[in-house]
Amino acid sequence: MNHLPPSDLTSRFILESDPYASEIVFPLPSYWWSRPYEYQWCSAFAEAEDIVLDAACGISHPFKFYLAQHCKQAHACDWDPQILSFTNIVEAVRADFGDAAAEQVDTQFRSNLQLQQASLAELPYRDRLFDKIFCISVMEHLSPSDALLAMHEFHRTLKDDGAVVITLDYPTVNLAYFQLIMSLSGFEFVGAVDTTIPENVLHTEQWGGLSCFRALLKKAITR
């Protein structure tokens, strides 16, 4: 795992003062409220010798391409069957990010990104494959039962010394419930955890009002 300062290992709400990325592979839309912050934090954990998974990666979203650039082996999965067609991916990037981004994806990522259609509740990967699993703004879209199954699948496919790098929308995801399914699945926090909501929390009034929580998990030590 990267040797980051302790503050970067803390599981907590993302703050307006946190660093953010205006570009990940290609420029990000100005109207994205949380992804630039999420991507900036998550990207720090992508290391050159890692085998990684972008879980529920989306079709046009660029983080999977970032992982392909920076890691030894990058896998990405999504429930949407379009993930199996690189042509569809390129056209989705074109629609969402423009011609230059589509050309970049088309020419750079056809051969170095391994794509699967999959439910997070039943991942098509062998046990203990991944050094890092990235799950960015996904948990809020899962039912409670699927969220629990997904966490079990992350535990199964993660190496014993690996990490899950995850972000989620609050209050759509209840943090007490998240910590419960995390524990039931055999995970614990890597560093400190702070669930208090500070005054300068990153927030949007969209969808009834949301803030973004980030969490860094490892397999719990069994005694």
Side-chain angles (χ1 to χ4, degrees), residues 117-204:
Q117 181 189 9
S119 164
L120 297 190
E122 190 174 359
L123 292 174
Y125 306 106
R126 63 175 172 83
D127 294 357
R128 298 179 179 86
L129 174 61
F130 300 114
D131 296 285
K132 309 277 170 53
I133 296 174
F134 297 88
C135 186
I136 302 173
S137 285
V138 173
M139 299 299 288
E140 57 268 22
H141 301 291
L142 301 180
S143 68
S145 59
D146 279 348
L148 178 59
L149 290 171
M151 294 299 292
H152 278 295
E153 283 293 87
F154 291 166
H155 191 278
R156 179 184 66 79
T157 57
L158 187 70
K159 292 180 180 178
D160 289 340
D161 60 350
V164 175
V165 186
I166 189 167
T167 65
L168 49 89
D169 287 348
Y170 171 87
T172 307
V173 177
N174 180 285
L175 293 184
Y177 179 74
F178 174 72
Q179 291 182 74
L180 174 62
I181 65 172
M182 182 189 89
S183 177
L184 290 173
S185 304
F187 285 109
E188 62 186 10
F189 292 106
V190 169
V193 56
D194 183 358
T195 59
T196 59
I197 304 176
E199 289 185 4
N200 64 334
V201 66
L202 183 69
H203 183 78
T204 179

Side-chain angles (χ1 to χ4, degrees), residues 18-24 27-28 35-41 43:
D18 283 334
Y20 64 91
S22 58
E23 180 173 319
I24 288 286
L28 303 179
R35 288 296 173 100
Y37 292 85
E38 294 169 276
Y39 286 166
Q40 178 68 34
W41 182 67
S43 66

